[in-house]
Short mmCIF file of all heavy atoms in Angstrom, two decimals:
data_model
loop_
_atom_site.label_atom_id
_atom_site.label_comp_id
_atom_site.label_asym_id
_atom_site.label_seq_id
_atom_site.Cartn_x
_atom_site.Cartn_y
_atom_site.Cartn_z
N MET A 1056 28.71 33.12 -11.19
CA MET A 1056 29.45 31.90 -11.42
C MET A 1056 30.27 32.05 -12.69
O MET A 1056 29.82 32.65 -13.66
CB MET A 1056 28.49 30.72 -11.63
CG MET A 1056 27.88 30.16 -10.39
SD MET A 1056 27.09 28.62 -10.82
CE MET A 1056 26.16 28.36 -9.37
N GLY A 1057 31.41 31.44 -12.66
CA GLY A 1057 32.26 31.44 -13.84
C GLY A 1057 31.79 30.38 -14.83
O GLY A 1057 30.91 29.58 -14.57
N GLU A 1058 32.41 30.35 -15.98
CA GLU A 1058 32.00 29.42 -17.01
C GLU A 1058 32.26 27.97 -16.65
O GLU A 1058 31.52 27.08 -17.04
CB GLU A 1058 32.72 29.74 -18.32
CG GLU A 1058 32.17 30.96 -19.01
CD GLU A 1058 32.85 31.17 -20.33
OE1 GLU A 1058 33.16 30.20 -21.02
OE2 GLU A 1058 33.07 32.34 -20.67
N ASP A 1059 33.29 27.68 -15.91
CA ASP A 1059 33.63 26.29 -15.59
C ASP A 1059 33.02 25.82 -14.27
O ASP A 1059 33.31 24.72 -13.81
CB ASP A 1059 35.14 26.09 -15.60
CG ASP A 1059 35.85 27.05 -14.66
OD1 ASP A 1059 35.22 28.02 -14.23
OD2 ASP A 1059 37.04 26.81 -14.38
N GLU A 1060 32.17 26.64 -13.64
CA GLU A 1060 31.52 26.22 -12.40
C GLU A 1060 30.22 25.50 -12.73
O GLU A 1060 29.52 25.86 -13.66
CB GLU A 1060 31.24 27.44 -11.51
CG GLU A 1060 32.50 28.08 -10.98
CD GLU A 1060 32.18 29.24 -10.05
OE1 GLU A 1060 31.12 29.23 -9.43
OE2 GLU A 1060 33.00 30.16 -9.98
N GLN A 1061 29.92 24.48 -11.95
CA GLN A 1061 28.69 23.70 -12.14
C GLN A 1061 27.61 24.24 -11.21
O GLN A 1061 27.88 24.63 -10.08
CB GLN A 1061 28.94 22.22 -11.82
CG GLN A 1061 29.92 21.55 -12.74
CD GLN A 1061 29.25 21.11 -14.03
OE1 GLN A 1061 28.08 20.81 -14.04
NE2 GLN A 1061 30.02 21.07 -15.11
N GLY A 1062 26.38 24.22 -11.65
CA GLY A 1062 25.26 24.67 -10.82
C GLY A 1062 23.95 24.32 -11.49
O GLY A 1062 23.90 23.89 -12.63
N VAL A 1063 22.89 24.52 -10.76
CA VAL A 1063 21.55 24.25 -11.29
C VAL A 1063 20.95 25.57 -11.73
O VAL A 1063 20.92 26.54 -10.97
CB VAL A 1063 20.67 23.60 -10.20
CG1 VAL A 1063 19.27 23.35 -10.71
CG2 VAL A 1063 21.30 22.31 -9.70
N THR A 1064 20.48 25.61 -12.97
CA THR A 1064 19.89 26.84 -13.48
C THR A 1064 18.42 26.92 -13.14
O THR A 1064 17.78 25.92 -12.77
CB THR A 1064 20.04 26.93 -15.01
OG1 THR A 1064 19.26 25.91 -15.61
CG2 THR A 1064 21.50 26.81 -15.43
N PHE A 1065 17.86 28.09 -13.27
CA PHE A 1065 16.45 28.32 -13.01
C PHE A 1065 15.58 27.45 -13.91
O PHE A 1065 14.58 26.89 -13.48
CB PHE A 1065 16.13 29.81 -13.24
CG PHE A 1065 14.69 30.15 -13.14
CD1 PHE A 1065 14.05 30.17 -11.90
CD2 PHE A 1065 13.96 30.43 -14.27
CE1 PHE A 1065 12.71 30.47 -11.81
CE2 PHE A 1065 12.61 30.74 -14.19
CZ PHE A 1065 11.98 30.76 -12.95
N TRP A 1066 15.97 27.30 -15.17
CA TRP A 1066 15.19 26.52 -16.12
C TRP A 1066 15.21 25.03 -15.77
O TRP A 1066 14.22 24.33 -15.96
CB TRP A 1066 15.68 26.76 -17.55
CG TRP A 1066 15.46 28.18 -17.96
CD1 TRP A 1066 16.42 29.11 -18.19
CD2 TRP A 1066 14.22 28.85 -18.12
NE1 TRP A 1066 15.86 30.32 -18.50
CE2 TRP A 1066 14.50 30.19 -18.47
CE3 TRP A 1066 12.89 28.46 -18.01
CZ2 TRP A 1066 13.50 31.13 -18.72
CZ3 TRP A 1066 11.89 29.40 -18.25
CH2 TRP A 1066 12.20 30.70 -18.59
N GLU A 1067 16.31 24.56 -15.28
CA GLU A 1067 16.39 23.15 -14.85
C GLU A 1067 15.46 22.90 -13.67
O GLU A 1067 14.80 21.87 -13.59
CB GLU A 1067 17.82 22.77 -14.50
CG GLU A 1067 18.74 22.71 -15.70
CD GLU A 1067 20.20 22.52 -15.32
OE1 GLU A 1067 20.60 22.98 -14.24
OE2 GLU A 1067 20.92 21.91 -16.13
N VAL A 1068 15.40 23.85 -12.75
CA VAL A 1068 14.50 23.73 -11.60
C VAL A 1068 13.05 23.74 -12.08
O VAL A 1068 12.23 22.92 -11.65
CB VAL A 1068 14.76 24.85 -10.58
CG1 VAL A 1068 13.70 24.87 -9.49
CG2 VAL A 1068 16.14 24.70 -9.96
N CYS A 1069 12.72 24.65 -12.98
CA CYS A 1069 11.36 24.74 -13.52
C CYS A 1069 10.98 23.46 -14.26
O CYS A 1069 9.86 22.96 -14.10
CB CYS A 1069 11.23 25.94 -14.45
SG CYS A 1069 11.25 27.51 -13.58
N LEU A 1070 11.88 22.93 -15.05
CA LEU A 1070 11.61 21.71 -15.79
C LEU A 1070 11.41 20.53 -14.83
O LEU A 1070 10.49 19.72 -15.00
CB LEU A 1070 12.76 21.41 -16.76
CG LEU A 1070 12.62 20.14 -17.59
CD1 LEU A 1070 11.38 20.21 -18.47
CD2 LEU A 1070 13.86 19.92 -18.42
N SER A 1071 12.22 20.44 -13.80
CA SER A 1071 12.07 19.37 -12.81
C SER A 1071 10.73 19.46 -12.10
O SER A 1071 10.05 18.45 -11.90
CB SER A 1071 13.21 19.43 -11.78
OG SER A 1071 14.44 19.23 -12.40
N LEU A 1072 10.33 20.66 -11.72
CA LEU A 1072 9.04 20.84 -11.06
C LEU A 1072 7.89 20.50 -12.00
O LEU A 1072 6.90 19.88 -11.59
CB LEU A 1072 8.90 22.27 -10.54
CG LEU A 1072 9.75 22.62 -9.33
CD1 LEU A 1072 9.62 24.10 -9.00
CD2 LEU A 1072 9.36 21.77 -8.13
N ALA A 1073 8.00 20.87 -13.27
CA ALA A 1073 6.96 20.56 -14.25
C ALA A 1073 6.83 19.05 -14.43
O ALA A 1073 5.72 18.51 -14.50
CB ALA A 1073 7.26 21.23 -15.58
N LEU A 1074 7.96 18.36 -14.51
CA LEU A 1074 7.93 16.90 -14.65
C LEU A 1074 7.32 16.24 -13.41
O LEU A 1074 6.53 15.30 -13.51
CB LEU A 1074 9.32 16.36 -14.91
CG LEU A 1074 9.90 16.66 -16.30
CD1 LEU A 1074 11.36 16.22 -16.36
CD2 LEU A 1074 9.08 15.97 -17.37
N LEU A 1075 7.67 16.74 -12.24
CA LEU A 1075 7.12 16.21 -11.00
C LEU A 1075 5.61 16.40 -10.95
O LEU A 1075 4.86 15.47 -10.62
CB LEU A 1075 7.79 16.89 -9.80
CG LEU A 1075 7.26 16.46 -8.43
CD1 LEU A 1075 7.58 14.99 -8.18
CD2 LEU A 1075 7.86 17.33 -7.34
N LEU A 1076 5.14 17.59 -11.29
CA LEU A 1076 3.70 17.85 -11.32
C LEU A 1076 3.00 16.99 -12.37
O LEU A 1076 1.86 16.55 -12.17
CB LEU A 1076 3.43 19.33 -11.55
CG LEU A 1076 3.77 20.26 -10.39
CD1 LEU A 1076 3.59 21.71 -10.79
CD2 LEU A 1076 2.93 19.93 -9.18
N GLY A 1077 3.66 16.76 -13.48
CA GLY A 1077 3.10 15.88 -14.51
C GLY A 1077 2.90 14.47 -14.00
O GLY A 1077 1.86 13.86 -14.21
N TRP A 1078 3.90 13.95 -13.30
CA TRP A 1078 3.79 12.60 -12.74
C TRP A 1078 2.69 12.53 -11.69
O TRP A 1078 1.94 11.57 -11.62
CB TRP A 1078 5.11 12.14 -12.15
CG TRP A 1078 6.01 11.54 -13.18
CD1 TRP A 1078 7.14 12.07 -13.69
CD2 TRP A 1078 5.82 10.30 -13.87
NE1 TRP A 1078 7.67 11.24 -14.64
CE2 TRP A 1078 6.88 10.14 -14.77
CE3 TRP A 1078 4.84 9.32 -13.81
CZ2 TRP A 1078 7.00 9.05 -15.60
CZ3 TRP A 1078 4.96 8.21 -14.65
CH2 TRP A 1078 6.02 8.08 -15.53
N VAL A 1079 2.59 13.57 -10.87
CA VAL A 1079 1.52 13.61 -9.87
C VAL A 1079 0.17 13.61 -10.57
O VAL A 1079 -0.77 12.93 -10.16
CB VAL A 1079 1.69 14.83 -8.94
CG1 VAL A 1079 0.45 15.06 -8.09
CG2 VAL A 1079 2.91 14.65 -8.06
N GLY A 1080 0.06 14.38 -11.65
CA GLY A 1080 -1.19 14.43 -12.42
C GLY A 1080 -1.54 13.11 -13.06
O GLY A 1080 -2.72 12.78 -13.22
N VAL A 1081 -0.55 12.32 -13.42
CA VAL A 1081 -0.80 11.01 -14.03
C VAL A 1081 -1.18 9.98 -12.95
O VAL A 1081 -2.08 9.17 -13.14
CB VAL A 1081 0.44 10.53 -14.82
CG1 VAL A 1081 0.33 9.08 -15.19
CG2 VAL A 1081 0.64 11.39 -16.05
N ILE A 1082 -0.53 10.02 -11.82
CA ILE A 1082 -0.72 9.01 -10.78
C ILE A 1082 -1.97 9.28 -9.93
O ILE A 1082 -2.64 8.34 -9.49
CB ILE A 1082 0.55 8.92 -9.91
CG1 ILE A 1082 1.70 8.37 -10.75
CG2 ILE A 1082 0.32 8.07 -8.68
CD1 ILE A 1082 3.04 8.39 -10.07
N ALA A 1083 -2.30 10.54 -9.70
CA ALA A 1083 -3.42 10.89 -8.81
C ALA A 1083 -4.75 10.24 -9.21
O ALA A 1083 -5.46 9.72 -8.34
CB ALA A 1083 -3.56 12.40 -8.73
N PRO A 1084 -5.15 10.20 -10.49
CA PRO A 1084 -6.42 9.55 -10.83
C PRO A 1084 -6.44 8.05 -10.49
O PRO A 1084 -7.48 7.52 -10.09
CB PRO A 1084 -6.55 9.76 -12.34
CG PRO A 1084 -5.70 10.94 -12.63
CD PRO A 1084 -4.59 10.90 -11.65
N PHE A 1085 -5.31 7.38 -10.62
CA PHE A 1085 -5.25 5.97 -10.28
C PHE A 1085 -5.44 5.76 -8.78
O PHE A 1085 -6.12 4.84 -8.35
CB PHE A 1085 -3.92 5.35 -10.73
CG PHE A 1085 -3.80 5.23 -12.22
CD1 PHE A 1085 -2.99 6.09 -12.93
CD2 PHE A 1085 -4.51 4.27 -12.91
CE1 PHE A 1085 -2.87 6.00 -14.30
CE2 PHE A 1085 -4.41 4.16 -14.29
CZ PHE A 1085 -3.59 5.03 -14.99
N VAL A 1086 -4.85 6.63 -7.99
CA VAL A 1086 -4.99 6.54 -6.53
C VAL A 1086 -6.44 6.81 -6.13
O VAL A 1086 -7.02 6.09 -5.32
CB VAL A 1086 -4.03 7.52 -5.83
CG1 VAL A 1086 -4.30 7.59 -4.34
CG2 VAL A 1086 -2.58 7.11 -6.10
N THR A 1087 -7.04 7.82 -6.74
CA THR A 1087 -8.44 8.16 -6.45
C THR A 1087 -9.36 7.02 -6.84
O THR A 1087 -10.26 6.65 -6.07
CB THR A 1087 -8.85 9.45 -7.20
OG1 THR A 1087 -7.94 10.49 -6.85
CG2 THR A 1087 -10.25 9.86 -6.86
N ALA A 1088 -9.17 6.45 -8.02
CA ALA A 1088 -10.02 5.34 -8.47
C ALA A 1088 -9.84 4.13 -7.56
O ALA A 1088 -10.81 3.44 -7.23
CB ALA A 1088 -9.69 4.97 -9.91
N GLY A 1089 -8.62 3.86 -7.13
CA GLY A 1089 -8.38 2.73 -6.23
C GLY A 1089 -9.06 2.93 -4.89
O GLY A 1089 -9.63 1.99 -4.32
N THR A 1090 -9.05 4.15 -4.39
CA THR A 1090 -9.71 4.45 -3.12
C THR A 1090 -11.22 4.25 -3.25
O THR A 1090 -11.85 3.67 -2.36
CB THR A 1090 -9.40 5.90 -2.69
OG1 THR A 1090 -7.99 6.03 -2.58
CG2 THR A 1090 -10.05 6.24 -1.37
N GLU A 1091 -11.80 4.70 -4.36
CA GLU A 1091 -13.24 4.53 -4.58
C GLU A 1091 -13.61 3.05 -4.67
O GLU A 1091 -14.63 2.63 -4.13
CB GLU A 1091 -13.67 5.27 -5.84
CG GLU A 1091 -13.62 6.77 -5.71
CD GLU A 1091 -13.82 7.49 -7.02
OE1 GLU A 1091 -13.95 6.83 -8.08
OE2 GLU A 1091 -13.84 8.74 -7.01
N ARG A 1092 -12.78 2.26 -5.34
CA ARG A 1092 -13.06 0.82 -5.45
C ARG A 1092 -12.99 0.15 -4.08
O ARG A 1092 -13.79 -0.72 -3.77
CB ARG A 1092 -12.07 0.17 -6.41
CG ARG A 1092 -12.31 0.54 -7.85
CD ARG A 1092 -11.41 -0.19 -8.77
NE ARG A 1092 -11.81 -1.59 -8.82
CZ ARG A 1092 -11.21 -2.50 -9.53
NH1 ARG A 1092 -10.17 -2.19 -10.26
NH2 ARG A 1092 -11.62 -3.75 -9.52
N LEU A 1093 -12.03 0.57 -3.25
CA LEU A 1093 -11.94 0.00 -1.90
C LEU A 1093 -13.16 0.36 -1.07
O LEU A 1093 -13.65 -0.47 -0.30
CB LEU A 1093 -10.67 0.48 -1.20
CG LEU A 1093 -9.37 -0.17 -1.66
CD1 LEU A 1093 -8.18 0.51 -1.00
CD2 LEU A 1093 -9.38 -1.65 -1.35
N GLU A 1094 -13.67 1.57 -1.21
CA GLU A 1094 -14.86 1.98 -0.47
C GLU A 1094 -16.07 1.16 -0.91
O GLU A 1094 -16.88 0.74 -0.08
CB GLU A 1094 -15.12 3.47 -0.67
CG GLU A 1094 -14.11 4.35 0.05
CD GLU A 1094 -14.23 5.81 -0.32
OE1 GLU A 1094 -15.02 6.16 -1.23
OE2 GLU A 1094 -13.51 6.63 0.31
N ARG A 1095 -16.22 0.93 -2.22
CA ARG A 1095 -17.33 0.09 -2.71
C ARG A 1095 -17.20 -1.34 -2.22
O ARG A 1095 -18.18 -1.98 -1.83
CB ARG A 1095 -17.38 0.13 -4.24
CG ARG A 1095 -17.92 1.42 -4.79
CD ARG A 1095 -18.30 1.30 -6.26
NE ARG A 1095 -17.28 0.67 -7.09
CZ ARG A 1095 -16.36 1.34 -7.79
NH1 ARG A 1095 -16.33 2.64 -7.77
NH2 ARG A 1095 -15.49 0.68 -8.53
N LEU A 1096 -15.98 -1.86 -2.22
CA LEU A 1096 -15.74 -3.22 -1.74
C LEU A 1096 -16.09 -3.33 -0.27
O LEU A 1096 -16.71 -4.30 0.17
CB LEU A 1096 -14.28 -3.62 -1.98
CG LEU A 1096 -13.86 -5.00 -1.50
CD1 LEU A 1096 -14.66 -6.09 -2.22
CD2 LEU A 1096 -12.38 -5.21 -1.71
N GLU A 1097 -15.70 -2.34 0.51
CA GLU A 1097 -16.01 -2.35 1.95
C GLU A 1097 -17.52 -2.33 2.17
O GLU A 1097 -18.03 -3.07 3.02
CB GLU A 1097 -15.37 -1.13 2.62
CG GLU A 1097 -15.61 -1.05 4.10
CD GLU A 1097 -15.00 0.19 4.73
OE1 GLU A 1097 -14.44 1.03 4.00
OE2 GLU A 1097 -15.09 0.30 5.95
N ALA A 1098 -18.26 -1.55 1.40
CA ALA A 1098 -19.72 -1.50 1.53
C ALA A 1098 -20.33 -2.84 1.16
O ALA A 1098 -21.27 -3.32 1.83
CB ALA A 1098 -20.29 -0.39 0.65
N THR A 1099 -19.82 -3.49 0.13
CA THR A 1099 -20.33 -4.80 -0.29
C THR A 1099 -20.07 -5.86 0.77
O THR A 1099 -20.95 -6.67 1.09
CB THR A 1099 -19.70 -5.23 -1.63
OG1 THR A 1099 -19.97 -4.22 -2.61
CG2 THR A 1099 -20.22 -6.56 -2.10
N VAL A 1100 -18.88 -5.84 1.36
CA VAL A 1100 -18.54 -6.81 2.41
C VAL A 1100 -19.45 -6.61 3.62
O VAL A 1100 -19.94 -7.58 4.20
CB VAL A 1100 -17.05 -6.70 2.79
CG1 VAL A 1100 -16.75 -7.45 4.07
CG2 VAL A 1100 -16.18 -7.20 1.66
N ARG A 1101 -19.71 -5.37 3.99
CA ARG A 1101 -20.61 -5.11 5.11
C ARG A 1101 -22.02 -5.61 4.83
O ARG A 1101 -22.69 -6.15 5.71
CB ARG A 1101 -20.64 -3.61 5.44
CG ARG A 1101 -19.40 -3.15 6.13
CD ARG A 1101 -19.49 -1.71 6.53
NE ARG A 1101 -18.25 -1.29 7.16
CZ ARG A 1101 -17.97 -0.06 7.47
NH1 ARG A 1101 -18.85 0.90 7.23
NH2 ARG A 1101 -16.83 0.25 8.04
N THR A 1102 -22.48 -5.45 3.58
CA THR A 1102 -23.80 -5.95 3.20
C THR A 1102 -23.84 -7.47 3.31
O THR A 1102 -24.80 -8.03 3.85
CB THR A 1102 -24.15 -5.50 1.76
OG1 THR A 1102 -24.11 -4.08 1.70
CG2 THR A 1102 -25.52 -6.00 1.36
N TYR A 1103 -22.81 -8.15 2.81
CA TYR A 1103 -22.76 -9.60 2.91
C TYR A 1103 -22.74 -10.05 4.37
O TYR A 1103 -23.42 -11.02 4.73
CB TYR A 1103 -21.53 -10.17 2.19
CG TYR A 1103 -21.77 -10.49 0.74
CD1 TYR A 1103 -21.16 -9.76 -0.27
CD2 TYR A 1103 -22.63 -11.52 0.37
CE1 TYR A 1103 -21.38 -10.05 -1.59
CE2 TYR A 1103 -22.87 -11.81 -0.95
CZ TYR A 1103 -22.24 -11.08 -1.94
OH TYR A 1103 -22.47 -11.36 -3.24
N GLU A 1104 -21.98 -9.37 5.20
CA GLU A 1104 -21.94 -9.74 6.63
C GLU A 1104 -23.31 -9.58 7.27
O GLU A 1104 -23.75 -10.43 8.04
CB GLU A 1104 -20.91 -8.89 7.37
CG GLU A 1104 -19.48 -9.24 7.04
CD GLU A 1104 -18.48 -8.29 7.68
OE1 GLU A 1104 -18.87 -7.20 8.14
OE2 GLU A 1104 -17.28 -8.66 7.71
N ARG A 1105 -24.00 -8.50 6.94
CA ARG A 1105 -25.34 -8.27 7.49
C ARG A 1105 -26.30 -9.36 7.00
O ARG A 1105 -27.10 -9.90 7.79
CB ARG A 1105 -25.81 -6.88 7.07
CG ARG A 1105 -27.01 -6.38 7.77
CD ARG A 1105 -27.31 -4.90 7.54
NE ARG A 1105 -26.99 -4.37 6.22
CZ ARG A 1105 -25.92 -3.60 5.94
NH1 ARG A 1105 -25.08 -3.27 6.89
NH2 ARG A 1105 -25.73 -3.13 4.73
N LEU A 1106 -26.22 -9.70 5.72
CA LEU A 1106 -27.09 -10.75 5.17
C LEU A 1106 -26.77 -12.11 5.79
O LEU A 1106 -27.68 -12.91 6.05
CB LEU A 1106 -26.97 -10.81 3.65
CG LEU A 1106 -27.63 -9.68 2.88
CD1 LEU A 1106 -27.33 -9.80 1.39
CD2 LEU A 1106 -29.12 -9.65 3.12
N GLN A 1107 -25.50 -12.41 6.02
CA GLN A 1107 -25.14 -13.67 6.66
C GLN A 1107 -25.73 -13.76 8.06
O GLN A 1107 -26.21 -14.81 8.47
CB GLN A 1107 -23.62 -13.82 6.73
CG GLN A 1107 -22.98 -14.17 5.41
CD GLN A 1107 -21.46 -14.23 5.51
OE1 GLN A 1107 -20.86 -13.65 6.41
NE2 GLN A 1107 -20.84 -14.92 4.57
N GLY A 1108 -25.71 -12.65 8.78
CA GLY A 1108 -26.33 -12.63 10.10
C GLY A 1108 -27.81 -12.90 10.02
O GLY A 1108 -28.37 -13.65 10.84
N GLU A 1109 -28.49 -12.32 9.04
CA GLU A 1109 -29.92 -12.57 8.87
C GLU A 1109 -30.20 -14.01 8.47
O GLU A 1109 -31.19 -14.60 8.90
CB GLU A 1109 -30.49 -11.60 7.83
CG GLU A 1109 -30.53 -10.16 8.32
CD GLU A 1109 -31.15 -9.22 7.30
OE1 GLU A 1109 -32.03 -9.68 6.54
OE2 GLU A 1109 -30.76 -8.05 7.27
N VAL A 1110 -29.33 -14.59 7.64
CA VAL A 1110 -29.49 -16.00 7.26
C VAL A 1110 -29.36 -16.89 8.49
O VAL A 1110 -30.14 -17.84 8.67
CB VAL A 1110 -28.47 -16.39 6.16
CG1 VAL A 1110 -28.38 -17.90 6.00
CG2 VAL A 1110 -28.83 -15.74 4.84
N LEU A 1111 -28.40 -16.60 9.36
CA LEU A 1111 -28.23 -17.40 10.58
C LEU A 1111 -29.42 -17.23 11.51
O LEU A 1111 -29.88 -18.21 12.13
CB LEU A 1111 -26.93 -17.02 11.28
CG LEU A 1111 -25.65 -17.42 10.55
CD1 LEU A 1111 -24.44 -16.89 11.29
CD2 LEU A 1111 -25.57 -18.92 10.38
N LEU A 1112 -29.95 -16.02 11.63
CA LEU A 1112 -31.14 -15.81 12.45
C LEU A 1112 -32.33 -16.57 11.87
O LEU A 1112 -33.14 -17.15 12.60
CB LEU A 1112 -31.47 -14.32 12.55
CG LEU A 1112 -30.52 -13.48 13.39
CD1 LEU A 1112 -30.88 -12.00 13.28
CD2 LEU A 1112 -30.55 -13.94 14.84
N ASP A 1113 -32.45 -16.58 10.54
CA ASP A 1113 -33.53 -17.32 9.88
C ASP A 1113 -33.36 -18.82 10.07
O ASP A 1113 -34.36 -19.55 10.17
CB ASP A 1113 -33.57 -16.98 8.39
CG ASP A 1113 -34.75 -17.60 7.69
OD1 ASP A 1113 -35.89 -17.15 7.96
OD2 ASP A 1113 -34.54 -18.54 6.90
N ALA A 1114 -32.13 -19.30 10.14
CA ALA A 1114 -31.89 -20.73 10.35
C ALA A 1114 -32.35 -21.14 11.76
O ALA A 1114 -32.85 -22.25 11.95
CB ALA A 1114 -30.42 -21.06 10.16
N ALA A 1115 -32.17 -20.25 12.72
CA ALA A 1115 -32.59 -20.55 14.10
C ALA A 1115 -34.11 -20.52 14.23
O ALA A 1115 -34.69 -21.30 14.99
CB ALA A 1115 -31.95 -19.55 15.06
N ASP A 1116 -34.76 -19.62 13.49
CA ASP A 1116 -36.21 -19.49 13.53
C ASP A 1116 -36.70 -19.31 12.10
O ASP A 1116 -36.87 -18.19 11.63
CB ASP A 1116 -36.60 -18.28 14.39
CG ASP A 1116 -38.10 -18.15 14.57
OD1 ASP A 1116 -38.80 -19.17 14.49
OD2 ASP A 1116 -38.55 -17.01 14.78
N PRO A 1117 -36.93 -20.43 11.36
CA PRO A 1117 -37.25 -20.36 9.93
C PRO A 1117 -38.50 -19.53 9.64
O PRO A 1117 -39.51 -19.64 10.30
CB PRO A 1117 -37.47 -21.82 9.53
CG PRO A 1117 -36.78 -22.62 10.58
CD PRO A 1117 -36.86 -21.82 11.84
N SER A 1118 -38.37 -18.69 8.63
CA SER A 1118 -39.49 -17.84 8.21
C SER A 1118 -40.15 -18.36 6.95
O SER A 1118 -41.19 -17.86 6.55
CB SER A 1118 -38.99 -16.41 7.98
OG SER A 1118 -38.08 -16.40 6.90
N GLY A 1119 -39.56 -19.33 6.30
CA GLY A 1119 -40.12 -19.88 5.07
C GLY A 1119 -39.62 -19.18 3.81
O GLY A 1119 -39.99 -19.56 2.70
N GLU A 1120 -38.80 -18.16 3.98
CA GLU A 1120 -38.25 -17.47 2.81
C GLU A 1120 -37.17 -18.32 2.17
O GLU A 1120 -36.45 -19.04 2.84
CB GLU A 1120 -37.65 -16.12 3.21
CG GLU A 1120 -38.65 -15.12 3.71
CD GLU A 1120 -38.00 -13.80 4.05
OE1 GLU A 1120 -37.07 -13.38 3.32
OE2 GLU A 1120 -38.43 -13.18 5.03
N VAL A 1121 -37.07 -18.25 0.84
CA VAL A 1121 -36.07 -19.02 0.10
C VAL A 1121 -34.72 -18.30 0.11
O VAL A 1121 -33.68 -18.93 0.17
CB VAL A 1121 -36.54 -19.27 -1.35
CG1 VAL A 1121 -35.48 -19.98 -2.15
CG2 VAL A 1121 -37.84 -20.04 -1.35
N GLU A 1122 -34.78 -16.97 0.05
CA GLU A 1122 -33.55 -16.19 0.08
C GLU A 1122 -33.81 -14.85 0.75
O GLU A 1122 -34.94 -14.39 0.82
CB GLU A 1122 -32.97 -15.99 -1.32
CG GLU A 1122 -33.87 -15.27 -2.30
CD GLU A 1122 -33.28 -15.22 -3.70
OE1 GLU A 1122 -32.25 -15.87 -3.95
OE2 GLU A 1122 -33.85 -14.51 -4.54
N ILE A 1123 -32.73 -14.26 1.23
CA ILE A 1123 -32.80 -12.96 1.89
C ILE A 1123 -32.00 -11.99 1.02
O ILE A 1123 -30.85 -12.25 0.68
CB ILE A 1123 -32.23 -13.03 3.32
CG1 ILE A 1123 -33.08 -13.97 4.16
CG2 ILE A 1123 -32.18 -11.64 3.94
CD1 ILE A 1123 -32.57 -14.21 5.56
N CYS A 1124 -32.64 -10.86 0.67
CA CYS A 1124 -32.02 -9.92 -0.26
C CYS A 1124 -31.92 -8.53 0.35
O CYS A 1124 -32.72 -8.13 1.19
CB CYS A 1124 -32.86 -9.81 -1.54
SG CYS A 1124 -32.97 -11.35 -2.47
N GLU A 1125 -30.89 -7.81 -0.10
CA GLU A 1125 -30.73 -6.40 0.21
C GLU A 1125 -30.11 -5.77 -1.02
O GLU A 1125 -29.05 -6.21 -1.48
CB GLU A 1125 -29.85 -6.20 1.43
CG GLU A 1125 -29.71 -4.76 1.84
CD GLU A 1125 -28.90 -4.57 3.10
OE1 GLU A 1125 -29.06 -5.38 4.03
OE2 GLU A 1125 -28.09 -3.64 3.13
N GLN A 1126 -30.75 -4.74 -1.53
CA GLN A 1126 -30.34 -4.10 -2.78
C GLN A 1126 -30.31 -5.16 -3.87
O GLN A 1126 -31.32 -5.78 -4.14
CB GLN A 1126 -29.01 -3.37 -2.61
CG GLN A 1126 -29.08 -2.25 -1.61
CD GLN A 1126 -27.72 -1.72 -1.23
OE1 GLN A 1126 -26.69 -2.30 -1.58
NE2 GLN A 1126 -27.69 -0.63 -0.50
N ASP A 1127 -29.17 -5.39 -4.51
CA ASP A 1127 -29.09 -6.39 -5.57
C ASP A 1127 -28.34 -7.65 -5.14
O ASP A 1127 -27.97 -8.47 -5.96
CB ASP A 1127 -28.45 -5.78 -6.83
CG ASP A 1127 -27.05 -5.27 -6.56
OD1 ASP A 1127 -26.69 -5.09 -5.38
OD2 ASP A 1127 -26.31 -5.06 -7.54
N ILE A 1128 -28.12 -7.79 -3.83
CA ILE A 1128 -27.38 -8.94 -3.31
C ILE A 1128 -28.35 -9.85 -2.56
O ILE A 1128 -29.08 -9.41 -1.68
CB ILE A 1128 -26.26 -8.48 -2.35
CG1 ILE A 1128 -25.28 -7.57 -3.11
CG2 ILE A 1128 -25.53 -9.68 -1.77
CD1 ILE A 1128 -24.25 -6.92 -2.22
N CYS A 1129 -28.36 -11.14 -2.91
CA CYS A 1129 -29.22 -12.11 -2.26
C CYS A 1129 -28.41 -13.31 -1.78
O CYS A 1129 -27.48 -13.74 -2.45
CB CYS A 1129 -30.30 -12.60 -3.24
SG CYS A 1129 -31.46 -11.33 -3.73
N LEU A 1130 -28.79 -13.83 -0.61
CA LEU A 1130 -28.19 -15.06 -0.09
C LEU A 1130 -29.31 -16.06 0.17
O LEU A 1130 -30.37 -15.69 0.70
CB LEU A 1130 -27.44 -14.79 1.21
CG LEU A 1130 -26.15 -13.99 1.12
CD1 LEU A 1130 -25.56 -13.79 2.51
CD2 LEU A 1130 -25.13 -14.66 0.23
N PRO A 1131 -29.09 -17.33 -0.16
CA PRO A 1131 -30.13 -18.34 0.10
C PRO A 1131 -30.19 -18.63 1.60
O PRO A 1131 -29.18 -18.56 2.32
CB PRO A 1131 -29.64 -19.55 -0.68
CG PRO A 1131 -28.17 -19.38 -0.81
CD PRO A 1131 -27.93 -17.89 -0.84
N THR A 1132 -31.38 -18.98 2.05
CA THR A 1132 -31.53 -19.38 3.45
C THR A 1132 -31.09 -20.82 3.61
O THR A 1132 -30.99 -21.57 2.64
CB THR A 1132 -32.99 -19.20 3.91
OG1 THR A 1132 -33.84 -19.97 3.06
CG2 THR A 1132 -33.41 -17.74 3.89
N LEU A 1133 -30.85 -21.22 4.86
CA LEU A 1133 -30.38 -22.59 5.12
C LEU A 1133 -31.55 -23.55 5.27
O LEU A 1133 -32.61 -23.25 5.59
CB LEU A 1133 -29.55 -22.60 6.41
CG LEU A 1133 -28.30 -21.69 6.36
CD1 LEU A 1133 -27.62 -21.70 7.72
CD2 LEU A 1133 -27.35 -22.17 5.30
#
């Protein structure tokens, strides 16, 4: 290339790739943490749904329990 021709140099390509990888490195932990939080939330919702079903079954045939618990989550009976 002559002096007055425009083009992308090797160093510009390397710098662009480094910046791109840097951004990926910054954003990736946030995505991973968000995915883990969603998985925990999904597990908690499933536990609540299971406990609600047990509360409804207990309402149909009372067992005398005040609350129904699983792990650290408890729901009062009706």
